[in-house]
Amino acid sequence: VTVITQNVDDLHERAGSSYVIHLHGELLKVCSSADPSNPRYIRTLTPNDATVAPDEKAADGSRLRPFIVFFGEVAARTVRQADVLVVIGTSLNVYPAAGLLAYAPPTTPIYLIDPEPVETQSYPRVKQLRMGASQGMEELMAIL
């Protein structure tokens, strides 16, 4: 299971998700500005070590910057390979997340779980489950 989130915290990881794509980046990580995706230069900040000086360098000598997962490089590629796409708790009005549905293969079923009605005319194959996330996931598991 891949979780694609707009959250910048580590809530999904703390809940036990092992593969999480953060569309807007991760507040608890910094990386090399020259080689941002190289895991050797990614540092997770901790409560005891959360300060980054303005000119602080990564291990490769480049300036540290916030660790950002760029939308087009990872999330869209993952959605293109999805067997099932599940969207939870969004109005589909905020981009880039709302645009991810367009990357789903034509045969991939798409489920949207949200207690509020969501406009999906642009995506007629979206099946809406109008309920909260927990109940919606239970219902989806029964469907799948």
Side-chain angles (χ1 to χ4, degrees):
V1 172
T2 300
V3 175
I4 300 173
T5 183
Q6 296 182 82
N7 294 354
V8 293
D9 55 30
D10 64 345
L11 257 161
H12 289 290
E13 290 86 351
R14 286 189 281 149
S17 298
S18 57
Y19 190 62
V20 181
I21 296 171
H22 293 266
L23 287 177
H24 300 300
E26 296 181 67
L27 289 178
L28 298 177
K29 292 184 179 179
V30 291
C31 63
S32 157
S33 57
D35 194 2
S37 61
N38 189 327
R40 294 184 313 180
Y41 308 129
I42 297 171
R43 185 176 93 207
T44 300
L45 303 176
T46 65
N48 295 331
D49 182 24
T51 303
V52 177
D55 289 329
E56 191 171 340
K57 305 290 187 212
D60 66 351
S62 69
R63 179 179 281 168
L64 280 175
R65 66 171 200 129
F67 181 65
I68 303 296
V69 177
F70 293 104
F71 168 72
E73 295 176 346
V74 179
R77 183 175 62 238
T78 300
V79 170
R80 281 189 189 108
Q81 299 170 2
D83 297 319
V84 176
L85 180 59
V86 181
V87 180
I88 303 174
T90 183
S91 63
L92 295 180
N93 288 319
V94 179
Y95 287 81
L100 285 174
L101 276 67
Y103 292 95
T107 58
T108 296
I110 302 172
Y111 294 92
L112 179 111
I113 300 171
D114 196 287
E116 301 298 322
V118 176
E119 176 55 51
T120 60
Q121 284 184 333
S122 299
Y123 304 101
R125 63 193 165 111
V126 172
K127 295 174 181 81
Q128 290 189 47
L129 302 176
R130 291 204 37 210
M131 52 194 71
S134 295
Q135 183 183 3
M137 284 303 296
E138 288 177 15
E139 180 77 17
L140 181 58
M141 292 303 295
I143 291 170
L144 297 176

